């Protein structure tokens, strides 16, 4: 299954749903670290600061640079995803209606102040309780330090504080690192969906 969901319950816990498990569970990821995700990324190198785009509206060009450096690593598809130029990226992935700047989280190197990763939520049109994890990206030299998980924890914390009830996301089956991050945060697969399109013709059994 490529789509996973987490149902947000309270400021310190969330209920999880899956195809065969409907009883509420407590998500360890929301028990610690949501309010201080920076602690998740401290390693042998400089600490990573997590803040929102609302706090750093001047950093959009650096966010675009992260997208340029990372979109080609997204598995799936016949050709790498093109983030486009800064204007295109900003219109589609930053200033798009439904992407609150307060829910657009940045990871900054504590030593240089440069943006090394980001994660954003996209509010589902027509809903006041559901959002979608739009994108999570970390440049290669900073991977393996828990930054992606800290970024997602920060978006989850914002969702809880903003009264959202459900967060959903999707991953290519070959994207093992991000699937591992989602599993660690308590996300569970939804049932697969198959959509079929074609002309309305008589069935084979009627032929």
């Amino acid at each position: 299954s490529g789509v996973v969901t987490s149902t947000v319950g309270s400021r310190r816990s969330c209920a999880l749903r899956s195809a065969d498990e409907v009883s509420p569970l407590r998500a360890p990821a929301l028990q610690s670290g949501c309010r201080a995700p920076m602690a998740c990324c401290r390693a042998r190198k400089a600490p990573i600061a997590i803040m929102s785009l609302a706090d750093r509206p001047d950093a959009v060009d650096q966010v675009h640079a992260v997208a340029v450096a990372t979109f080609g690593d997204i598995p799936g598809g016949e050709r790498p995803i093109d983030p486009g130029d800064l204007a295109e990226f900003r219109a589609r992935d930053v200033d798009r209606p439904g992407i609150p700047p307060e829910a657009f989280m940045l990871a900054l190197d504590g030593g240089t102040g440069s943006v090394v990763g980001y994660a954003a939520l996209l509010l589902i049109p027509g809903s006041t309780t559901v959002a979608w994890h739009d994108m999570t990206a970390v440049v290669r030299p900073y991977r393996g330090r828990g930054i992606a998980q800290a970024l997602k924890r920060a978006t989850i914390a914002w969702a809880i504080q903003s009264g959202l009830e459900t967060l959903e996301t999707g991953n290519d089956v070959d994207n093992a690192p991000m699937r591992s991050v989602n599993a660690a945060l308590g996300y569970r697969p939804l049932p697969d969906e198959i959509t079929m399109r074609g002309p309305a013709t008589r069935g084979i059994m009627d032929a």
Side-chain angles (χ1 to χ4, degrees):
S1 299
V3 179
V4 295
T5 183
S6 177
T7 303
V8 179
S10 67
R11 293 179 65 89
R12 298 191 60 78
S13 65
C14 72
L16 309 177
R17 297 183 301 184
S18 68
D20 57 357
E21 186 170 38
V22 296
S23 59
L25 298 177
R26 196 170 295 274
L30 294 184
Q31 289 299 302
S32 63
C34 273
R35 296 183 183 179
M38 181 176 171
C40 304
C41 326
R42 294 187 182 275
R44 290 177 293 276
K45 303 178 182 179
I48 300 297
I50 305 293
M51 62 184 63
S52 75
L53 188 63
D55 298 321
R56 284 293 308 273
D58 60 306
V60 175
D61 58 337
Q62 294 191 58
V63 175
H64 175 249
V66 172
V68 171
T70 59
F71 273 30
D73 295 335
I74 300 174
E78 298 180 355
R79 61 182 63 181
I81 299 175
D82 181 9
D85 60 23
L86 177 59
E88 179 184 351
F89 174 79
R90 179 159 197 157
R92 183 192 63 237
D93 293 351
V94 180
D95 296 332
R96 178 179 174 181
I99 301 182
E102 296 82 5
F104 198 119
M105 301 299 172
L106 311 177
L108 285 77
D109 184 295
T112 66
S114 60
V115 177
V116 300
Y118 72 92
L121 291 181
L122 173 63
L123 301 177
I124 303 299
S127 175
T128 60
T129 60
V130 182
W132 177 265
H133 284 285
D134 186 43
M135 180 63 182
T136 303
V138 177
V139 294
R140 290 186 180 184
Y142 289 80
R143 293 175 188 172
R145 296 175 58 185
I147 297 174
Q149 187 175 134
L151 284 165
K152 279 206 163 183
R153 287 185 176 187
T155 62
I156 293 170
W158 180 88
I160 293 171
Q161 294 163 5
S162 300
L164 297 182
E165 297 176 1
T166 301
L167 296 177
E168 296 183 351
T169 188
N171 299 118
D172 188 275
V173 293
D174 293 328
N175 196 343
M178 190 52 61
R179 293 179 68 188
S180 176
V181 167
N182 288 331
L185 290 173
Y187 286 79
R188 296 293 180 264
L190 287 172
D192 290 328
E193 296 181 1
I194 299 177
T195 301
M196 303 181 68
R197 295 184 177 89
T201 59
R202 298 183 66 180
I204 296 177
M205 298 299 294
D206 297 330

